[in-house]
Amino acid sequence: MPPGRLLPSLVLALFGLALAAVPGPTSWPAPPFSAERLDRPGAVLNLAETLGRRPVVLNFWASWCVPCRVEAPVLRDAERRYRGRVLFVGVNLQDTRKGAEAFMETFFWSFPNVRDPRGAVARRYRVGGIPTTVFIDAGGRVVRVWTGPLDPERLEAFLRALIGTPEG
């Protein structure tokens, strides 16, 4: 972690955990965006091409964020289980390309990841801290926003609700 990044990471994480319990609108249209992909240099991900076709999970993260590192394997494993049913997209927030690429390699992330160097996408999704995960239903509406690291059980419950699968 670069010097001087630990304190901002902790502050964002604590702020984010406080926000996780704050109620907000139950559903709102997911804002489309286009952003440069980290996992395919030179390519652009256009979320508008996916919205309304299948559920999407957007995870806002940074390589310098300690809670993001805790959550990373949980996301990787869930994406592998739900591949083809849910599109996972990582949104790397205010980070260096080198740091982001190393993070993705460390945690063996194979799902699409985009850069958000100035936080424009994060603002559109009302992100107040990281990690934040936004759940978008197949109709293109944000149905849940969770700020703070997700554990496997909570993520599984959120994904089942997102795709309409009963518990079990």
Side-chain angles (χ1 to χ4, degrees):
M1 177 175 309
R5 290 287 196 170
L6 180 59
L7 185 58
S9 178
L10 291 174
V11 170
L12 280 172
L14 292 174
F15 179 67
L17 288 174
L19 287 176
V22 177
T26 55
S27 177
W28 41 281
F33 65 86
S34 293
E36 175 189 2
R37 288 183 67 161
L38 281 161
D39 56 308
R40 290 192 186 160
V44 172
L45 182 132
N46 182 349
L47 193 65
E49 294 172 355
T50 299
L51 290 176
R53 293 184 181 186
R54 66 175 162 160
V56 176
V57 172
L58 294 179
N59 178 259
F60 291 83
W61 62 277
S63 64
W64 45 263
C65 165
V66 174
C68 298
R69 291 182 167 276
V70 171
E71 179 183 69
V74 174
L75 291 167
R76 176 199 60 223
D77 295 346
E79 188 276 335
R80 289 177 181 165
R81 282 192 315 278
Y82 284 85
R83 189 173 292 158
R85 294 182 286 167
V86 176
L87 174 64
F88 281 69
V89 177
V91 181
N92 179 251
L93 185 59
Q94 299 175 336
D95 205 347
T96 65
R97 177 181 289 282
K98 185 176 179 181
E101 289 171 346
F103 181 98
M104 290 169 25
E105 185 176 311
T106 297
F107 294 105
F108 304 103
W109 278 8
S110 59
F111 52 90
N113 275 268
V114 299
R115 296 190 73 217
D116 189 16
R118 292 181 185 83
V121 176
R123 282 189 297 280
R124 295 185 79 190
Y125 278 89
R126 307 173 190 174
V127 172
I130 56 173
T132 291
T133 307
V134 177
F135 297 84
I136 303 169
D137 69 14
R141 295 189 63 81
V142 173
V143 294
R144 182 183 310 272
V145 177
W146 181 264
T147 302
L150 286 160
D151 60 54
E153 294 78 20
R154 186 177 316 260
L155 180 55
E156 182 69 23
F158 290 169
L159 288 167
R160 287 180 174 278
L162 185 65
I163 64 173
T165 303
E167 295 291 325

